[in-house]
Amino acid sequence: MVEWTHIPGLAPYTETLAAMEARAEAIARGEADEAVWLLEHPALYTAGTSAKPADLVEPDRFPVYPVGRGGQYTYHGPGQRVIYCMLDVKARGGDVRCFVRDLEAWVIATLAEFSIRGEIRPGRVGVWVTRPDRPGPDGQPAEDKIAAIGIKLRRWVSFHGISINVEPDLSHFDGIVPCGIREHGVTSLVDLGLPVTMADLDAALLAAFPRVFEVTRPACPA
């Protein structure tokens, strides 16, 4: 059983992180069900284990939190849905790469509910959309990031997870090089011209989840 929780308001980062890690430990001990938390944070930057100091462009703009998840610098703030996933990876095949692909597939299936084609790119983390309305310098459609993914495992239970841009202030991303990628931009559902609310996205996430995740499944092919 996966317990879904919506945390209202703007969840304080440090306290929420501590609660998430405690829940992941309880799941690993068999004392709690798997969990998915849906929330928003106040404006802040997080630095993953691969973060490069030069990618923090404006260090005094928002609070910066070093975290143990994979990845580089990311932004969280109002208008962005953060999805913390505390799931038993071993019970779901025991393949970390496969699990990350499932997270990507979950985001892509969710975006498809709004007729958005989300895509992954080799060498680039997260989920991307092409922008025919915004050609790049070479005349080809630009590619913007709409969702970030970064997880950590402890005793085979995942924590941290996904962020999807619904209607954040996109200028807030200017204070970092998001995920270390300078050549591409960032977008949101509303920036793409879709009047999607957090409630709409949450409903799509809930509907898409069972189509991607199963309690037990074989590891995906390499």
Side-chain angles (χ1 to χ4, degrees):
M1 179 182 295
V2 178
E3 178 187 274
W4 288 68
T5 300
H6 173 256
I7 299 176
L10 298 179
Y13 189 75
T14 302
E15 293 88 335
T16 305
L17 190 67
M20 174 179 61
E21 293 192 10
R23 179 59 178 262
E25 288 285 357
I27 295 168
R29 294 193 302 267
E31 298 172 357
D33 291 328
E34 296 176 297
V36 173
W37 291 356
L38 305 172
L39 56 110
E40 294 173 78
H41 283 305
L44 58 91
Y45 298 130
T46 67
T49 54
S50 301
K52 301 174 182 177
D55 289 343
L56 182 58
V57 180
E58 299 180 34
D60 299 324
R61 186 167 187 178
F62 298 122
V64 181
Y65 295 91
V67 292
R69 58 150 178 84
Q72 302 187 41
Y73 281 106
T74 59
Y75 166 77
H76 293 317
Q80 182 191 72
R81 173 55 84 216
V82 174
I83 306 116
Y84 286 140
C85 305
M86 290 147 279
L87 301 174
D88 187 338
V89 176
K90 190 170 185 179
R92 297 170 185 278
D95 186 315
V96 177
R97 289 181 302 170
C98 181
F99 180 70
V100 172
R101 291 177 197 172
D102 282 347
L103 292 176
E104 293 169 339
W106 183 26
V107 173
I108 290 169
T110 298
L111 295 176
E113 295 289 322
F114 307 105
S115 300
I116 296 174
R117 181 182 175 87
E119 300 176 311
I120 57 175
R121 291 288 184 266
R124 285 194 243 148
V125 295
V127 177
W128 300 77
V129 294
T130 57
R131 304 296 304 270
D133 57 321
R134 296 184 183 176
D138 59 357
Q140 296 299 311
E143 294 183 344
D144 288 345
K145 190 172 189 176
I146 195 168
I149 297 173
I151 63 164
K152 185 173 181 179
L153 265 63
R154 185 173 296 159
R155 296 171 61 191
W156 285 105
V157 175
S158 67
F159 54 107
H160 296 284
I162 301 166
S163 61
I164 301 176
N165 297 329
V166 178
E167 193 178 7
D169 184 336
L170 294 178
S171 72
H172 289 179
F173 287 89
D174 295 342
I176 58 172
V177 178
C179 298
I181 299 171
R182 299 176 181 272
E183 299 81 10
H184 301 280
V186 179
T187 190
S188 69
L189 291 165
V190 171
D191 183 54
L192 292 171
L194 299 169
V196 176
T197 67
M198 284 289 182
D200 295 332
L201 180 67
D202 292 347
L205 285 163
L206 184 60
F209 186 87
R211 300 201 300 267
V212 175
F213 290 95
E214 299 173 0
V215 174
T216 58
R217 56 171 293 172
C220 60

